[in-house]
Amino acid sequence: MENSKKIKWYNLAFMAFSTVWGFGNVLNGFVYFNGIQVIFSWILMFALYFVPYALMVGELGSAFKNSGGGVSSWIHETIGPKFAYYAGWTYWACHITYIASKGSGGLKALSWMVFQNGTTYDSFPTIAIQLATLAVFLFFCWVASRGLNPLKKLATLAGTSMFIMSILYIVMMFAAPAINPNGGYLSMDFSWDNLIPTFDTKYFTSLSILVFAVGGCEKISPYVNKVENPSKGFPKGMIALAIMVMVCAILGTIAMGMMFDPAVINGSDAAFKSYVSNGSYLAFQKLGEYYHVGNLLMIIYAACNAIGQFSTLVMSIDAPLRMLLDNEDARQFIPSALLKQNKYGAYVNGIWMVVALSGSIILIQILGGSGAAGVLTQLNKLNSVVMPMRYLWVFAAYIALRKAGDKFHSDYKFTKHQGFALTMGVWCFLITALCCIGGMYEKDLFTVLLNICTPIVLCALGLILPIIKKMED
């Protein structure tokens, strides 16, 4: 009876797949890594980073199966409460840039629904776009401050539909040549020389895009001990996950290669920015043309994306803040003013802090003068620099867990070899850190400053708050 309630390894793989993977990952890989050349990089990233990362998460989840705080709980048990606060702060701080991008992404999706092209939105002045984004952001901050989360079910629905649309794109694109042989598809050169990328500055400074794409599997750690025979079932599930993600990444890349010419994407800086911000909509627009349904598929995709962007925005304002401030272990390092709640149970001063930080990023981008497409490109790269910073704590917790020896019991182990376990923990930590640092580089000076200053300000604030709390006490 008990065994019948256990999760099968293939069910775990599908649960994780829908959490980790998305259509935007395929687009970003294709655009930033010169079309089908990204296939080589995807394979390396999965083999040398994603698989060991997922298996380490499995061991951590198994060792701390009764800890509900995720990464913060792992750090609290293995290193100490002060570092657990820093881990929780990092997780929250990473969402500041994410929140700033959701408003822009939602407005972009709405513009595609209304105007059914990318040029209209991209032609608007930067100041107009950013002020509209700020207005949307402030509205959803107000929604969060009222203790309301009416979009939670919509977010789940939008996330599921976006996942279905991603798979549907690959299936429909591969079927398109048989249904419409004269669709005008591009031919691809799969020769070895064409698949090997050029290992230049652009390549290494774009790797943060791939790290950002495959991260986040620590969200499934609570299910490790609910898997049937976790010592064998969990690694099977994670390897199946890696295979599914790799197959989708490769097939999705080939599908895009039938549509878009990398030479056109990289033809100019303006063209590159346009494809980063509009590529996913253009893909569904072209798919609709192949199937003679006009812009129907693109409008459905844009509607799902708009709902997903705005619902994720309100949840990203509220949920990470609650995770940080509800944590009793973290509260001892946080000034009491931030713990103030209104009659709706919302952390009002915490939301004001989100307003100040995310609002500053939105307003600062007006100074960049890079246009609407440039704003989304900047935010895309900024997220790839900041968001993976939270993965560093996963690897720090894993290294500390293995160094603790037999202090913590785990039903599942990534590897029994201590030296190999520590080597892989350090390897993944260094890869993440180097990709975050390398991702800060861009040709545009304003973007470089934004990529460097944002994580420094967020980290500095996290260090200052315990000092304020100590003075307060």
Side-chain angles (χ1 to χ4, degrees):
M1 183 69 182
E2 181 67 27
N3 208 42
S4 64
K5 295 179 181 178
K6 293 282 188 179
I7 300 172
K8 301 288 186 182
W9 64 268
Y10 46 84
N11 289 335
L12 179 81
F14 281 113
M15 286 165 58
F17 182 58
S18 60
T19 302
V20 170
W21 198 243
F23 185 69
N25 297 329
V26 179
L27 173 73
N28 286 335
F30 187 87
V31 172
Y32 278 91
F33 290 87
N34 201 33
I36 59 172
Q37 285 186 357
V38 74
I39 292 172
F40 176 86
S41 304
W42 276 131
I43 293 170
L44 280 185
M45 185 59 68
F46 290 129
L48 301 179
Y49 184 83
F50 181 62
V51 172
Y53 170 26
L55 297 178
M56 287 179 211
V57 165
E59 185 171 344
L60 284 161
S62 180
F64 307 112
K65 55 189 171 186
N66 298 318
S67 301
V71 179
S72 295
S73 298
W74 302 342
I75 293 292
H76 185 271
E77 295 295 328
T78 55
I79 302 177
K82 186 75 172 282
F83 285 93
Y85 154 75
Y86 290 135
W89 173 266
T90 305
Y91 182 84
W92 174 82
C94 287
H95 281 81
I96 292 298
T97 58
Y98 192 63
I99 289 166
S101 68
K102 291 293 109 176
S104 296
L107 289 176
K108 165 63 81 172
L110 288 178
S111 77
W112 269 94
M113 286 178 65
V114 176
F115 304 114
Q116 299 184 22
N117 64 65
T119 53
T120 304
Y121 181 86
D122 291 348
S123 66
F124 291 141
T126 308
I127 187 168
I129 290 294
Q130 290 309 92
L131 289 176
T133 303
L134 183 65
V136 167
F137 165 63
L138 292 175
F139 170 74
F140 283 113
C141 283
W142 174 81
V143 171
S145 72
R146 305 289 289 180
L148 303 174
N149 202 349
L151 302 178
K152 188 170 184 180
K153 289 183 179 178
L154 272 179
T156 306
L157 179 64
T160 305
S161 58
M162 286 286 284
F163 172 68
I164 292 168
M165 292 291 284
S166 302
I167 303 300
L168 199 63
Y169 170 79
I170 296 172
V171 174
M172 291 182 73
M173 194 57 218
F174 275 90
I179 295 168
N180 182 10
N182 300 315
Y185 314 101
L186 300 178
S187 60
M188 290 166 284
D189 178 9
F190 286 102
S191 65
W192 180 252
D193 290 339
N194 192 54
L195 286 174
I196 299 298
T198 303
F199 297 104
D200 54 9
T201 304
K202 183 187 174 186
Y203 178 86
F204 289 108
T205 56
S206 297
L207 283 175
S208 58
I209 294 287
L210 300 187
V211 171
F212 180 35
V214 299
C217 64
E218 64 272 8
K219 292 175 185 174
I220 61 160
S221 61
Y223 300 103
V224 176
N225 292 287
K226 295 178 183 177
V227 179
E228 194 177 275
N229 189 5
S231 62
K232 292 183 179 178
F234 189 83
K236 279 172 72 176
M238 289 299 96
I239 291 168
L241 164 67
I243 292 169
M244 286 195 296
V245 170
M246 186 163 64
V247 168
C248 276
I250 293 171
L251 293 182
T253 300
I254 294 170
M256 284 202 166
M258 295 164 69
M259 284 185 167
F260 304 124
D261 184 355
V264 175
I265 295 173
N266 296 311
S268 67
D269 189 50
F272 178 80
K273 289 176 180 177
S274 180
Y275 273 93
V276 170
S277 60
N278 298 304
S280 57
Y281 304 101
L282 290 169
F284 279 95
Q285 189 175 51
K286 281 200 170 193
L287 191 64
E289 290 172 7
Y290 297 150
Y291 281 84
H292 305 294
V293 293
N295 286 334
L296 178 63
L297 293 174
M298 180 275 292
I299 292 170
I300 294 171
Y301 174 79
C304 294
N305 202 15
I307 295 167
Q309 295 279 346
F310 289 138
S311 53
T312 302
L313 171 57
V314 73
M315 286 197 295
S316 296
I317 293 166
D318 184 63
L321 189 63
R322 287 184 183 276
M323 286 179 67
L324 176 66
L325 301 183
D326 281 346
N327 189 333
E328 290 297 328
D329 296 317
R331 279 175 168 240
Q332 61 182 305
F333 303 105
I334 296 171
S336 55
L338 285 177
L339 303 176
K340 180 185 174 184
Q341 292 176 280
N342 62 12
K343 62 181 180 179
Y344 303 106
Y347 290 102
V348 281
N349 289 336
I351 291 174
W352 276 115
M353 186 164 63
V354 174
V355 169
L357 294 170
S358 293
S360 296
I361 293 173
I362 292 169
L363 290 174
I364 284 170
Q365 284 190 290
I366 294 173
L367 303 175
S370 54
V375 164
L376 283 167
T377 306
Q378 284 174 351
L379 289 170
N380 200 39
K381 198 66 187 289
L382 181 60
N383 274 321
S384 77
V385 169
V386 176
M387 289 296 277
M389 287 168 59
R390 58 188 173 145
Y391 311 151
L392 293 170
W393 290 107
V394 175
F395 305 124
Y398 183 74
I399 294 166
L401 172 69
R402 293 305 298 238
K403 290 188 80 172
D406 297 327
K407 184 179 178 182
F408 304 104
H409 172 71
S410 176
D411 293 327
Y412 158 72
K413 286 189 180 293
F414 162 41
T415 174
K416 292 181 180 178
H417 194 282
Q418 180 74 349
F420 181 70
L422 291 173
T423 300
M424 291 311 296
V426 172
W427 163 260
C428 287
F429 184 96
L430 290 175
I431 288 293
T432 307
L434 289 172
C435 285
C436 286
I437 295 167
M440 293 177 181
Y441 173 77
E442 278 290 324
K443 292 179 181 177
D444 176 47
L445 179 61
F446 178 81
T447 306
V448 173
L449 291 173
L450 190 66
N451 290 344
I452 292 173
C453 294
T454 303
I456 288 175
V457 169
L458 292 172
C459 290
L461 190 57
L463 294 170
I464 289 167
L465 290 184
I467 297 171
I468 297 172
K469 176 65 174 176
K470 192 173 182 181
M471 292 168 65
E472 185 182 85
D473 292 342

